[in-house]
Amino acid sequence: MPLYRDFSDDNATILVWKYDESEELDINELLEPENAEKVKDYHPKKLLEVLMVRKLLKGLKPHAKILYREREPFLSPKDAEISITHSFPFAAIAISKNKIGIDVEKFNPKILRVIDKFTYENERGFIPEDRADTFYTIIWSVKESMYKIHHSKYWSLKKNYEVKPFELKHLHKISCRVYDEQFSDEFKARVEFFDDYCFTIVEA
């Protein structure tokens, strides 16, 4: 199976695959029976993304399954941490000994319409107008990656996730955190670009 990118490091295996029509994705071979009901109404492209992730997993852990607890994926048997992400035609998987979150997003100026949903005005002072869509896509993606480490339906990307000011020439150690009134967990995010996409990695 042709890999598109390998962002693995000492702690985690992190692989990205770009869909190739010549690649066979057999739902009966790849999809866990436990997830059959979950995907029955999926759009064909979304189903392909699910199967691409399973194909990546088969190459790494042939006997493992991806199951879900309150929408959060976990490995069975649970001998490692996992994070998955997809945005057609890309799908990615991260398997680590530590908690990890990954996210892939396509750069799109439309993100400027929704910045109030995930940032406060006082967070935006460092963002240049001519690259605003790039910066906001990165911020959204880093926050999504952190959310996958601190999975909670009660926490808001706007209220409980912060990305500190950064520059595009320094994208491998972006300071960020998850917090509330009693708690703060600090991270360093790593951001990669390929095609017209942003790929973020946050490792605990």
Side-chain angles (χ1 to χ4, degrees):
M1 177 181 138
L3 280 177
Y4 187 75
R5 291 286 191 275
D6 185 340
F7 295 122
S8 303
D9 58 29
D10 292 342
N11 295 317
T13 300
I14 306 165
L15 305 178
V16 181
W17 181 23
K18 186 174 184 179
Y19 179 64
D20 180 345
E21 290 183 3
S22 66
E23 187 79 30
E24 185 176 347
L25 296 169
D26 185 340
I27 189 170
N28 297 310
E29 175 192 337
L30 296 172
L31 186 70
E32 306 85 355
E34 296 91 333
N35 291 323
E37 187 69 17
K38 177 182 173 68
V39 306
K40 69 176 186 177
D41 295 323
Y42 277 16
H43 184 279
K45 279 188 178 177
K46 187 171 182 181
L47 181 59
L48 281 175
E49 293 169 348
V50 168
L51 297 179
M52 287 162 67
V53 167
R54 270 64 184 179
K55 188 89 171 186
L56 283 166
L57 179 65
K58 289 288 184 192
L60 298 171
K61 289 179 168 287
H63 304 295
K65 296 180 178 181
I66 298 174
L67 302 180
Y68 295 86
R69 185 184 300 108
E70 296 180 354
R71 296 173 57 199
E72 182 180 9
F74 67 91
L75 276 180
S76 177
K78 198 174 189 312
D79 56 358
E81 300 291 341
I82 188 174
S83 184
I84 60 178
T85 185
H86 34 70
S87 178
F88 196 82
F90 293 103
I93 189 169
I95 295 177
S96 176
K97 49 192 173 187
N98 303 317
K99 276 280 192 182
I100 189 168
I102 61 172
D103 184 68
V104 61
E105 300 287 341
K106 185 175 177 63
F107 289 111
N108 189 330
K110 289 181 180 178
I111 197 168
L112 300 178
R113 302 176 188 172
V114 297
I115 59 175
D116 287 331
K117 293 184 181 296
F118 65 96
T119 63
Y120 288 107
E121 191 170 340
N122 62 8
E123 293 181 276
R124 306 170 193 162
F126 72 98
I127 297 174
E129 281 189 29
D130 62 336
R131 299 299 302 275
D133 55 336
T134 300
F135 276 79
Y136 284 117
T137 300
I138 292 169
I139 291 169
W140 172 268
S141 192
V142 169
K143 289 188 176 188
E144 282 284 330
S145 293
M146 285 193 287
Y147 179 82
K148 291 176 181 179
I149 293 176
H150 282 283
H151 186 85
S152 171
K153 63 184 178 180
Y154 303 107
W155 286 13
S156 154
L157 290 187
K158 183 170 182 174
K159 295 178 181 177
N160 301 102
Y161 296 78
E162 180 185 14
V163 179
K164 302 289 179 64
F166 61 89
E167 298 178 19
L168 295 183
K169 60 184 178 182
H170 300 298
L171 290 177
H172 279 195
K173 289 188 177 181
I174 296 176
S175 296
C176 51
R177 69 176 180 138
V178 182
Y179 68 98
D180 63 17
E181 292 82 1
Q182 289 87 34
F183 164 90
S184 181
D185 203 358
E186 310 274 339
F187 301 98
K188 295 289 186 185
R190 173 180 160 201
V191 178
E192 306 283 354
F193 294 164
F194 50 78
D195 289 15
D196 291 321
Y197 286 77
C198 165
F199 185 69
T200 63
I201 303 160
V202 176
E203 297 183 73

